Amino acid sequence: MNIEEDHIWHPYANIPNKVSTYHVESADGVHLNFKNGLQVIDGMSSWWCMIHGYNNNFMNEAIKSQIDKVSHVMFGGLTHQPAIDLCKKLISLTPTGLDKVFFADSGSVSVEVSLKMALQYWQNKGYQEKSKFITPRGGYHGDTFGAMSVCDPDNGMHHLFKGVLPKHFFVERPKMDNAEEALHDLDSQLKKNHEQIAAMILEPIVQGAGGMNIYHRDYLKGVRHLCDKHNVLLIVDEIATGFGRTGELFGCNHADISPDIMCVGKALTGGYMTMAAAITNQNISDTVGVLMHGPTFMANPLSCSAANASIDLLLKNDWKKRIIEIQSLLAEELLPLKNYESVYDARVIGAIGVLELKKPLDMKSTQEKLIKYGVWLRPYGKLLYTMPPFIITDQELLKITNAMREVVRNLES
Ligand SMILES: *Cc1c(COP(=O)(O)O)cnc(C)c1O
């Protein structure tokens, strides 16, 4: 019986699983140690979470000491110090006005909660017909049904669940060089349809899994203005961008805006435990009243203690200086690769470096090549990108960018 091939479902994969999987025995710092003896640098931060790297002593100790107190307790009618501490931290770090925190157990769930908040808000105000959402094309907000319905309609999963997914409004995706075109489209769609629209949802400054699209900060400013103008709430999904990844603590900070609802997840716990949150302001919480949601593992104490430790660790270091250094190195190494025939575009922001190729890469053979160069990346479609742990050294980062260059160079002949 081959458990790995014939019985375990991997993400976006089938059984039997014909894509190679690599067996991780342990991990330390930026390194993954495979069972076969190979060691690779994790250029993905395990889907963008592990900002402090693996097996960090401070993180481990925080979780271990919480285990001895209480590992889990229901959040209905009970509370605990790790949740109280984390709530305080999130209020102080997030943009002005965001001070009501709903803890969720994964990013997708926090998105579902944010959509529910917006719907309940308008219901209670007497606007029953405001029940749709508007979002730029090219977005990604998770794999649950509400979240899927606001993902990109073409490269998301809409075609699989056609007829089941609610239909929402999609607007032009924002660009890097100018914000006007996309804002113009948004303005005209909002003008036409605002009576049906509860909220706009978008990923600030970078659209992640939907295509690693970095865009102009003026778009965010414009979005805030247009949402106010047309009486539509603004939900900002910071699950990928939060906690320093783009060079600011949150993507919103690039444009100095405060959304009505913000979702955080992924790096919230430094990747050590699963946790997310939907954070809103008093206007929304007062109007919503009883919010109809309550996950079993809401505000899990181990997750809260991991998040508290991760935030402390981040703020203790000069994270911003390091992210800007990583950004410079990524820019220096990756942007010149635009000159290669096979490369359509190269872009960098914060600790995110992206190569968009003209043709899709074969994931299996590309990954094998990257592992030979000692690097773990997960290319998808035409995208080869890195989002390394913040603790990476220049030398380790160069190993990643060199491996990316080699993949591109190999495509040339
Ligand atoms: C990963 C991600 C999600 C989904 O989070 P899960 O924890 O996988 O459910 C939602 N939005 C964005 C922007 C993400 O990057």
Side-chain angles (χ1 to χ4, degrees), residues 104-130:
D105 38 9
S106 78
S108 301
V109 171
S110 76
V111 169
E112 299 291 333
V113 169
S114 73
L115 302 178
K116 277 191 183 177
M117 281 178 180
L119 293 175
Q120 283 194 247
Y121 175 84
W122 290 115
Q123 266 174 23
N124 289 349
K125 280 204 160 267
Y127 291 86
Q128 258 68 18
E129 53 309 340
K130 278 170 96 67

PDB file of all heavy atoms in Angstrom, residues 104-130:
ATOM      1  N   ALA A 104     -10.602  33.996  13.573  1.00  0.00           N
ATOM      2  CA  ALA A 104     -11.044  32.859  12.755  1.00  0.00           C
ATOM      3  C   ALA A 104      -9.899  31.851  12.677  1.00  0.00           C
ATOM      4  O   ALA A 104      -8.784  32.129  13.137  1.00  0.00           O
ATOM      5  CB  ALA A 104     -11.438  33.342  11.368  1.00  0.00           C
ATOM      6  N   ASP A 105     -10.186  30.676  12.127  1.00  0.00           N
ATOM      7  CA  ASP A 105      -9.166  29.626  12.155  1.00  0.00           C
ATOM      8  C   ASP A 105      -8.413  29.447  10.849  1.00  0.00           C
ATOM      9  O   ASP A 105      -7.467  28.675  10.777  1.00  0.00           O
ATOM     10  CB  ASP A 105      -9.760  28.291  12.638  1.00  0.00           C
ATOM     11  CG  ASP A 105     -11.162  28.054  12.122  1.00  0.00           C
ATOM     12  OD1 ASP A 105     -11.621  28.832  11.257  1.00  0.00           O
ATOM     13  OD2 ASP A 105     -11.806  27.101  12.582  1.00  0.00           O
ATOM     14  N   SER A 106      -8.820  30.145   9.788  1.00  0.00           N
ATOM     15  CA  SER A 106      -8.028  30.138   8.552  1.00  0.00           C
ATOM     16  C   SER A 106      -8.370  31.384   7.751  1.00  0.00           C
ATOM     17  O   SER A 106      -9.384  32.044   8.011  1.00  0.00           O
ATOM     18  CB  SER A 106      -8.314  28.889   7.718  1.00  0.00           C
ATOM     19  OG  SER A 106      -9.532  29.045   7.029  1.00  0.00           O
ATOM     20  N   GLY A 107      -7.527  31.687   6.768  1.00  0.00           N
ATOM     21  CA  GLY A 107      -7.739  32.877   5.957  1.00  0.00           C
ATOM     22  C   GLY A 107      -9.099  32.885   5.280  1.00  0.00           C
ATOM     23  O   GLY A 107      -9.832  33.876   5.336  1.00  0.00           O
ATOM     24  N   SER A 108      -9.433  31.769   4.643  1.00  0.00           N
ATOM     25  CA  SER A 108     -10.721  31.690   3.934  1.00  0.00           C
ATOM     26  C   SER A 108     -11.881  31.982   4.870  1.00  0.00           C
ATOM     27  O   SER A 108     -12.831  32.685   4.500  1.00  0.00           O
ATOM     28  CB  SER A 108     -10.913  30.293   3.331  1.00  0.00           C
ATOM     29  OG  SER A 108      -9.876  29.987   2.442  1.00  0.00           O
ATOM     30  N   VAL A 109     -11.816  31.446   6.072  1.00  0.00           N
ATOM     31  CA  VAL A 109     -12.908  31.671   7.028  1.00  0.00           C
ATOM     32  C   VAL A 109     -12.985  33.150   7.416  1.00  0.00           C
ATOM     33  O   VAL A 109     -14.080  33.708   7.533  1.00  0.00           O
ATOM     34  CB  VAL A 109     -12.764  30.755   8.266  1.00  0.00           C
ATOM     35  CG1 VAL A 109     -13.766  31.144   9.346  1.00  0.00           C
ATOM     36  CG2 VAL A 109     -12.959  29.299   7.871  1.00  0.00           C
ATOM     37  N   SER A 110     -11.831  33.800   7.561  1.00  0.00           N
ATOM     38  CA  SER A 110     -11.878  35.231   7.895  1.00  0.00           C
ATOM     39  C   SER A 110     -12.502  36.031   6.752  1.00  0.00           C
ATOM     40  O   SER A 110     -13.175  37.032   6.983  1.00  0.00           O
ATOM     41  CB  SER A 110     -10.484  35.772   8.255  1.00  0.00           C
ATOM     42  OG  SER A 110      -9.692  35.945   7.104  1.00  0.00           O
ATOM     43  N   VAL A 111     -12.293  35.570   5.517  1.00  0.00           N
ATOM     44  CA  VAL A 111     -12.935  36.230   4.369  1.00  0.00           C
ATOM     45  C   VAL A 111     -14.447  36.017   4.430  1.00  0.00           C
ATOM     46  O   VAL A 111     -15.228  36.951   4.251  1.00  0.00           O
ATOM     47  CB  VAL A 111     -12.343  35.729   3.027  1.00  0.00           C
ATOM     48  CG1 VAL A 111     -13.183  36.201   1.846  1.00  0.00           C
ATOM     49  CG2 VAL A 111     -10.903  36.199   2.870  1.00  0.00           C
ATOM     50  N   GLU A 112     -14.869  34.773   4.706  1.00  0.00           N
ATOM     51  CA  GLU A 112     -16.311  34.504   4.846  1.00  0.00           C
ATOM     52  C   GLU A 112     -16.913  35.433   5.908  1.00  0.00           C
ATOM     53  O   GLU A 112     -17.990  36.001   5.727  1.00  0.00           O
ATOM     54  CB  GLU A 112     -16.565  33.048   5.276  1.00  0.00           C
ATOM     55  CG  GLU A 112     -16.073  31.990   4.304  1.00  0.00           C
ATOM     56  CD  GLU A 112     -16.849  31.940   2.998  1.00  0.00           C
ATOM     57  OE1 GLU A 112     -18.035  32.321   2.973  1.00  0.00           O
ATOM     58  OE2 GLU A 112     -16.253  31.533   1.993  1.00  0.00           O
ATOM     59  N   VAL A 113     -16.214  35.571   7.027  1.00  0.00           N
ATOM     60  CA  VAL A 113     -16.710  36.399   8.125  1.00  0.00           C
ATOM     61  C   VAL A 113     -16.819  37.856   7.686  1.00  0.00           C
ATOM     62  O   VAL A 113     -17.808  38.534   7.984  1.00  0.00           O
ATOM     63  CB  VAL A 113     -15.792  36.251   9.368  1.00  0.00           C
ATOM     64  CG1 VAL A 113     -16.120  37.301  10.421  1.00  0.00           C
ATOM     65  CG2 VAL A 113     -15.923  34.845   9.953  1.00  0.00           C
ATOM     66  N   SER A 114     -15.818  38.327   6.931  1.00  0.00           N
ATOM     67  CA  SER A 114     -15.851  39.730   6.498  1.00  0.00           C
ATOM     68  C   SER A 114     -17.032  39.968   5.553  1.00  0.00           C
ATOM     69  O   SER A 114     -17.686  41.013   5.613  1.00  0.00           O
ATOM     70  CB  SER A 114     -14.526  40.124   5.842  1.00  0.00           C
ATOM     71  OG  SER A 114     -14.404  39.543   4.564  1.00  0.00           O
ATOM     72  N   LEU A 115     -17.317  38.982   4.681  1.00  0.00           N
ATOM     73  CA  LEU A 115     -18.466  39.122   3.771  1.00  0.00           C
ATOM     74  C   LEU A 115     -19.772  39.140   4.571  1.00  0.00           C
ATOM     75  O   LEU A 115     -20.671  39.942   4.303  1.00  0.00           O
ATOM     76  CB  LEU A 115     -18.488  37.977   2.744  1.00  0.00           C
ATOM     77  CG  LEU A 115     -17.252  37.808   1.838  1.00  0.00           C
ATOM     78  CD1 LEU A 115     -17.419  36.603   0.909  1.00  0.00           C
ATOM     79  CD2 LEU A 115     -16.973  39.063   1.005  1.00  0.00           C
ATOM     80  N   LYS A 116     -19.857  38.271   5.571  1.00  0.00           N
ATOM     81  CA  LYS A 116     -21.053  38.249   6.426  1.00  0.00           C
ATOM     82  C   LYS A 116     -21.232  39.568   7.166  1.00  0.00           C
ATOM     83  O   LYS A 116     -22.349  40.073   7.307  1.00  0.00           O
ATOM     84  CB  LYS A 116     -20.933  37.129   7.465  1.00  0.00           C
ATOM     85  CG  LYS A 116     -21.341  35.765   6.988  1.00  0.00           C
ATOM     86  CD  LYS A 116     -21.412  34.853   8.222  1.00  0.00           C
ATOM     87  CE  LYS A 116     -21.732  33.426   7.865  1.00  0.00           C
ATOM     88  NZ  LYS A 116     -21.708  32.562   9.080  1.00  0.00           N
ATOM     89  N   MET A 117     -20.123  40.122   7.678  1.00  0.00           N
ATOM     90  CA  MET A 117     -20.198  41.412   8.383  1.00  0.00           C
ATOM     91  C   MET A 117     -20.830  42.456   7.475  1.00  0.00           C
ATOM     92  O   MET A 117     -21.723  43.200   7.894  1.00  0.00           O
ATOM     93  CB  MET A 117     -18.793  41.902   8.772  1.00  0.00           C
ATOM     94  CG  MET A 117     -18.191  41.262   9.999  1.00  0.00           C
ATOM     95  SD  MET A 117     -16.509  41.940  10.244  1.00  0.00           S
ATOM     96  CE  MET A 117     -16.030  41.045  11.736  1.00  0.00           C
ATOM     97  N   ALA A 118     -20.341  42.493   6.221  1.00  0.00           N
ATOM     98  CA  ALA A 118     -20.838  43.506   5.283  1.00  0.00           C
ATOM     99  C   ALA A 118     -22.324  43.284   4.993  1.00  0.00           C
ATOM    100  O   ALA A 118     -23.106  44.238   4.963  1.00  0.00           O
ATOM    101  CB  ALA A 118     -20.026  43.467   3.993  1.00  0.00           C
ATOM    102  N   LEU A 119     -22.717  42.024   4.788  1.00  0.00           N
ATOM    103  CA  LEU A 119     -24.128  41.738   4.491  1.00  0.00           C
ATOM    104  C   LEU A 119     -25.025  42.088   5.678  1.00  0.00           C
ATOM    105  O   LEU A 119     -26.069  42.722   5.528  1.00  0.00           O
ATOM    106  CB  LEU A 119     -24.298  40.258   4.124  1.00  0.00           C
ATOM    107  CG  LEU A 119     -23.649  39.829   2.807  1.00  0.00           C
ATOM    108  CD1 LEU A 119     -23.784  38.318   2.610  1.00  0.00           C
ATOM    109  CD2 LEU A 119     -24.276  40.576   1.634  1.00  0.00           C
ATOM    110  N   GLN A 120     -24.611  41.688   6.893  1.00  0.00           N
ATOM    111  CA  GLN A 120     -25.423  41.980   8.080  1.00  0.00           C
ATOM    112  C   GLN A 120     -25.516  43.489   8.335  1.00  0.00           C
ATOM    113  O   GLN A 120     -26.529  43.985   8.816  1.00  0.00           O
ATOM    114  CB  GLN A 120     -24.839  41.272   9.305  1.00  0.00           C
ATOM    115  CG  GLN A 120     -25.163  39.779   9.356  1.00  0.00           C
ATOM    116  CD  GLN A 120     -24.858  39.188  10.735  1.00  0.00           C
ATOM    117  OE1 GLN A 120     -23.966  38.373  10.871  1.00  0.00           O
ATOM    118  NE2 GLN A 120     -25.570  39.626  11.761  1.00  0.00           N
ATOM    119  N   TYR A 121     -24.421  44.190   8.015  1.00  0.00           N
ATOM    120  CA  TYR A 121     -24.405  45.645   8.198  1.00  0.00           C
ATOM    121  C   TYR A 121     -25.530  46.300   7.396  1.00  0.00           C
ATOM    122  O   TYR A 121     -26.332  47.068   7.930  1.00  0.00           O
ATOM    123  CB  TYR A 121     -23.036  46.195   7.763  1.00  0.00           C
ATOM    124  CG  TYR A 121     -22.922  47.696   7.776  1.00  0.00           C
ATOM    125  CD1 TYR A 121     -22.621  48.384   8.949  1.00  0.00           C
ATOM    126  CD2 TYR A 121     -23.103  48.436   6.601  1.00  0.00           C
ATOM    127  CE1 TYR A 121     -22.512  49.775   8.958  1.00  0.00           C
ATOM    128  CE2 TYR A 121     -22.998  49.821   6.607  1.00  0.00           C
ATOM    129  CZ  TYR A 121     -22.701  50.489   7.781  1.00  0.00           C
ATOM    130  OH  TYR A 121     -22.594  51.849   7.786  1.00  0.00           O
ATOM    131  N   TRP A 122     -25.597  45.957   6.094  1.00  0.00           N
ATOM    132  CA  TRP A 122     -26.604  46.616   5.243  1.00  0.00           C
ATOM    133  C   TRP A 122     -28.010  46.137   5.560  1.00  0.00           C
ATOM    134  O   TRP A 122     -28.966  46.909   5.507  1.00  0.00           O
ATOM    135  CB  TRP A 122     -26.250  46.439   3.763  1.00  0.00           C
ATOM    136  CG  TRP A 122     -25.035  47.237   3.375  1.00  0.00           C
ATOM    137  CD1 TRP A 122     -23.834  46.735   2.972  1.00  0.00           C
ATOM    138  CD2 TRP A 122     -24.897  48.663   3.383  1.00  0.00           C
ATOM    139  NE1 TRP A 122     -22.940  47.763   2.726  1.00  0.00           N
ATOM    140  CE2 TRP A 122     -23.570  48.958   2.967  1.00  0.00           C
ATOM    141  CE3 TRP A 122     -25.749  49.726   3.702  1.00  0.00           C
ATOM    142  CZ2 TRP A 122     -23.090  50.265   2.863  1.00  0.00           C
ATOM    143  CZ3 TRP A 122     -25.266  51.034   3.597  1.00  0.00           C
ATOM    144  CH2 TRP A 122     -23.949  51.286   3.186  1.00  0.00           C
ATOM    145  N   GLN A 123     -28.144  44.841   5.923  1.00  0.00           N
ATOM    146  CA  GLN A 123     -29.458  44.338   6.330  1.00  0.00           C
ATOM    147  C   GLN A 123     -30.010  45.151   7.494  1.00  0.00           C
ATOM    148  O   GLN A 123     -31.155  45.585   7.494  1.00  0.00           O
ATOM    149  CB  GLN A 123     -29.350  42.876   6.762  1.00  0.00           C
ATOM    150  CG  GLN A 123     -29.660  41.900   5.654  1.00  0.00           C
ATOM    151  CD  GLN A 123     -29.402  40.461   6.082  1.00  0.00           C
ATOM    152  OE1 GLN A 123     -29.405  40.146   7.272  1.00  0.00           O
ATOM    153  NE2 GLN A 123     -29.160  39.609   5.111  1.00  0.00           N
ATOM    154  N   ASN A 124     -29.145  45.355   8.487  1.00  0.00           N
ATOM    155  CA  ASN A 124     -29.603  46.064   9.683  1.00  0.00           C
ATOM    156  C   ASN A 124     -29.846  47.539   9.436  1.00  0.00           C
ATOM    157  O   ASN A 124     -30.530  48.202  10.204  1.00  0.00           O
ATOM    158  CB  ASN A 124     -28.607  45.870  10.829  1.00  0.00           C
ATOM    159  CG  ASN A 124     -28.661  44.449  11.361  1.00  0.00           C
ATOM    160  OD1 ASN A 124     -29.573  43.691  11.014  1.00  0.00           O
ATOM    161  ND2 ASN A 124     -27.704  44.075  12.171  1.00  0.00           N
ATOM    162  N   LYS A 125     -29.257  48.061   8.364  1.00  0.00           N
ATOM    163  CA  LYS A 125     -29.523  49.455   8.013  1.00  0.00           C
ATOM    164  C   LYS A 125     -30.784  49.571   7.159  1.00  0.00           C
ATOM    165  O   LYS A 125     -31.170  50.682   6.784  1.00  0.00           O
ATOM    166  CB  LYS A 125     -28.340  50.033   7.239  1.00  0.00           C
ATOM    167  CG  LYS A 125     -27.182  50.454   8.110  1.00  0.00           C
ATOM    168  CD  LYS A 125     -26.376  51.507   7.371  1.00  0.00           C
ATOM    169  CE  LYS A 125     -25.513  52.326   8.244  1.00  0.00           C
ATOM    170  NZ  LYS A 125     -25.880  53.536   8.802  1.00  0.00           N
ATOM    171  N   GLY A 126     -31.357  48.422   6.786  1.00  0.00           N
ATOM    172  CA  GLY A 126     -32.567  48.422   5.981  1.00  0.00           C
ATOM    173  C   GLY A 126     -32.313  48.418   4.477  1.00  0.00           C
ATOM    174  O   GLY A 126     -33.193  48.761   3.702  1.00  0.00           O
ATOM    175  N   TYR A 127     -31.097  48.066   4.064  1.00  0.00           N
ATOM    176  CA  TYR A 127     -30.788  47.984   2.630  1.00  0.00           C
ATOM    177  C   TYR A 127     -30.637  46.510   2.231  1.00  0.00           C
ATOM    178  O   TYR A 127     -29.538  46.059   1.934  1.00  0.00           O
ATOM    179  CB  TYR A 127     -29.483  48.717   2.300  1.00  0.00           C
ATOM    180  CG  TYR A 127     -29.517  50.218   2.433  1.00  0.00           C
ATOM    181  CD1 TYR A 127     -29.282  50.840   3.653  1.00  0.00           C
ATOM    182  CD2 TYR A 127     -29.729  51.023   1.304  1.00  0.00           C
ATOM    183  CE1 TYR A 127     -29.289  52.222   3.774  1.00  0.00           C
ATOM    184  CE2 TYR A 127     -29.730  52.409   1.409  1.00  0.00           C
ATOM    185  CZ  TYR A 127     -29.511  52.999   2.657  1.00  0.00           C
ATOM    186  OH  TYR A 127     -29.502  54.357   2.761  1.00  0.00           O
ATOM    187  N   GLN A 128     -31.745  45.758   2.237  1.00  0.00           N
ATOM    188  CA  GLN A 128     -31.688  44.319   1.938  1.00  0.00           C
ATOM    189  C   GLN A 128     -31.081  44.030   0.573  1.00  0.00           C
ATOM    190  O   GLN A 128     -30.457  42.999   0.375  1.00  0.00           O
ATOM    191  CB  GLN A 128     -33.107  43.716   1.981  1.00  0.00           C
ATOM    192  CG  GLN A 128     -33.410  42.941   3.247  1.00  0.00           C
ATOM    193  CD  GLN A 128     -33.489  43.853   4.471  1.00  0.00           C
ATOM    194  OE1 GLN A 128     -33.644  45.070   4.349  1.00  0.00           O
ATOM    195  NE2 GLN A 128     -33.366  43.276   5.643  1.00  0.00           N
ATOM    196  N   GLU A 129     -31.312  44.964  -0.368  1.00  0.00           N
ATOM    197  CA  GLU A 129     -30.865  44.680  -1.743  1.00  0.00           C
ATOM    198  C   GLU A 129     -29.344  44.833  -1.915  1.00  0.00           C
ATOM    199  O   GLU A 129     -28.785  44.403  -2.912  1.00  0.00           O
ATOM    200  CB  GLU A 129     -31.640  45.481  -2.789  1.00  0.00           C
ATOM    201  CG  GLU A 129     -31.775  47.001  -2.692  1.00  0.00           C
ATOM    202  CD  GLU A 129     -32.257  47.586  -1.355  1.00  0.00           C
ATOM    203  OE1 GLU A 129     -32.876  46.892  -0.495  1.00  0.00           O
ATOM    204  OE2 GLU A 129     -32.009  48.772  -1.154  1.00  0.00           O
ATOM    205  N   LYS A 130     -28.673  45.416  -0.906  1.00  0.00           N
ATOM    206  CA  LYS A 130     -27.199  45.494  -1.006  1.00  0.00           C
ATOM    207  C   LYS A 130     -26.610  44.142  -0.565  1.00  0.00           C
ATOM    208  O   LYS A 130     -26.227  43.960   0.595  1.00  0.00           O
ATOM    209  CB  LYS A 130     -26.656  46.650  -0.153  1.00  0.00           C
ATOM    210  CG  LYS A 130     -26.749  48.009  -0.869  1.00  0.00           C
ATOM    211  CD  LYS A 130     -26.434  49.168   0.048  1.00  0.00           C
ATOM    212  CE  LYS A 130     -25.013  49.670  -0.012  1.00  0.00           C
ATOM    213  NZ  LYS A 130     -24.625  50.311  -1.266  1.00  0.00           N
TER     214      LYS A 130
END
